[in-house]
Amino acid sequence: MTTTTITVTGMTCGHCVAAVKEELGALPGVTEVAVELNAGGSSPVTITSENDLDDTAIGAAVDEAGYEVK
């Protein structure tokens, strides 16, 4: 298992968290996505996967949810 932590900006509520978790969770090999929502706008997101994830794929998934990787 591999754990990757990124910072996502723009999330402000539970709906935002759900959208990011859904998009990242759809990446091949991802087994868990944990989000620590911060009121300041930058929230850490930890992704657990069976193999290494491509940074471009992570960025595209977060972008698809409507947010940005910082």
Side-chain angles (χ1 to χ4, degrees):
M1 289 293 184
T2 301
T3 302
T4 304
T5 301
I6 60 173
T7 300
V8 175
T9 60
M11 294 188 296
T12 58
C13 66
H15 175 72
C16 301
V17 170
V20 169
K21 288 177 79 169
E22 180 179 346
E23 291 297 330
L24 289 172
L27 293 175
V30 171
T31 58
E32 183 180 359
V33 178
V35 178
E36 183 182 324
L37 184 61
N38 289 331
S42 293
S43 301
V45 177
T46 303
I47 309 159
T48 304
S49 60
E50 296 172 349
N51 46 31
D52 289 336
L53 295 174
D54 179 58
D55 290 341
T56 304
I58 292 171
V62 172
D63 185 58
E64 182 68 27
Y67 305 95
E68 284 186 40
V69 176
K70 185 175 182 183

